[in-house]
Structure formats: structure tokens, C-alpha cells
Amino acid sequence: MSEKRLKRQKIKKQLFAKNRLVILNEDTFEEIFSLRLTLMNVFVVATTGAILIIFVTTFIIAFTPLREYIPGYASTKLRKDATELALKSDSLTNALKKNEAYQRSIIKVLNGDLEYEKVNKDSILASEASLPKEEDMAPSKLELKLRKAVDEEDDKIKKERQKTKKKHQ
């Protein structure tokens, strides 16, 4: 145990031992700069400097246009343009489907497959609208449980109302 303590004291002594950093002019041996340091001071300054450099670099990359050069980051203008184009393509697809349905009905009329009185753009669009499937309309198990619970509550409320009415009469 004393050896560990001696080692710690020796390391502590080395960390806090004062040293002098001197910069001399080589020709005249004139002292230009002198600084008293400890090993601990050097370590603290180096660590603080490294953290500061990392922070400044992260800040520059995160809040300047430099982030566009990092893979995975897109410019805000590019994202905005992409969403606008997606919306336009969806609306154009819908318009194209409506026009194709209208053209098919016109072709049926020209071929004599339909009566002329029934051709109306609104009726064509309504006939082309996709109707939900029976499977999609069927209630789920959760929905059935909820309906049952609501019906039971309604029955309880009705019974309570009838009891209060009888008491007041």
C-alpha cells in the first residue's frame, strides 16, 4: 500500500512541478519569451483547446452552407423543390386518370355502346371513383368490442333515466 501511495505522490509531484519554457535568440542568446508551466497546466490548456476546436468546427458545419457537402444532408431549397414536385406529380396523375376515363366514355359513345343521354363528365368521374372493398368495410375485433361497450353503457344510462323518471312521478 505504501508503494501505491509513493507512486501517486511521485506522479502528483511530476504533474505540479514547475518548469520554465524559454525562447532564445540563437545568435545572441537573448531571451525573447519565458513562461513558467506545470505538466498539469499544459494538459488542461491542450484539452481545453481541443474541445474548443471541436466545438467551433461543429458549429461551422452545422450552421453554414458547408453542411451540404456532407453526405446525407440536402439543402433546404432542394427539399422544398422535391416536395413541390411530388405534389404536382400527384395532381397531374389524378388529372390524367380523369381525362382517360372521360376519353374511354367518349369512345364508348362513339362506338354506340352507351346511350347519348347518360354521358356526363360528372357521372363518368363518379363511375371511375374507386369504391371501398367489402373487406375494408367490415368492422375489426376492436371496433366490435368498442361497440359492445358503448351499447352496454347506453343501456345503463337508459335504465338510470327510467328509474329517476319513476321516482319523480
Side-chain angles (χ1 to χ4, degrees):
M1 193 126 100
S2 63
E3 289 180 22
K4 288 184 181 179
R5 185 197 273 166
L6 288 174
K7 283 184 182 180
R8 278 192 222 140
Q9 286 178 352
K10 188 176 180 182
I11 291 172
K12 186 178 178 182
K13 190 175 183 181
Q14 287 176 350
L15 282 175
F16 292 103
K18 294 185 180 181
N19 298 309
R20 181 178 290 266
L21 174 67
V22 179
I23 299 176
L24 298 173
N25 185 348
E26 193 172 311
D27 294 334
T28 63
F29 293 109
E30 178 186 354
E31 187 176 309
I32 297 172
F33 180 72
S34 175
L35 186 63
R36 289 179 66 184
L37 297 172
T38 63
L39 196 55
M40 183 60 95
N41 289 350
V42 173
F43 177 73
V44 168
V45 169
T47 305
T48 305
I51 290 172
L52 186 66
I53 288 173
I54 291 170
F55 177 74
V56 168
T57 304
T58 304
F59 183 79
I60 288 172
I61 290 173
F63 297 108
T64 63
L66 284 176
R67 68 174 169 240
E68 294 174 18
Y69 294 107
I70 297 173
Y73 282 102
S75 68
T76 54
K77 184 182 182 303
L78 183 64
R79 274 191 245 145
K80 183 180 174 185
D81 291 345
T83 53
E84 285 179 12
L85 289 175
L87 291 173
K88 284 182 183 178
S89 66
D90 287 344
S91 63
L92 287 174
T93 303
N94 290 338
L96 182 65
K97 286 180 182 177
K98 289 178 182 179
N99 285 338
E100 287 175 351
Y102 183 70
Q103 288 174 354
R104 282 194 300 269
S105 66
I106 294 295
I107 289 171
K108 286 180 183 177
V109 169
L110 292 175
N111 289 337
D113 295 341
L114 289 177
E115 297 175 15
Y116 293 105
E117 302 153 1
K118 291 186 178 180
V119 177
N120 183 354
K121 190 169 187 171
D122 294 333
S123 65
I124 294 167
L125 295 177
S127 68
E128 289 293 323
S130 61
L131 297 174
K133 298 177 185 176
E134 288 293 324
E135 302 159 356
D136 296 337
M137 297 301 289
S140 66
K141 291 179 182 178
L142 266 170
E143 189 176 352
L144 292 173
K145 287 181 182 178
L146 178 66
R147 287 180 184 179
K148 186 176 179 182
V150 169
D151 287 340
E152 289 173 0
E153 279 186 39
D154 286 344
D155 291 341
K156 287 180 185 178
I157 292 172
K158 286 179 184 177
K159 288 178 183 178
E160 289 176 11
R161 286 183 183 166
Q162 288 174 357
K163 286 180 184 178
T164 55
K165 283 183 181 179
K166 288 180 182 178
K167 286 181 183 178
H168 290 294
Q169 289 178 352

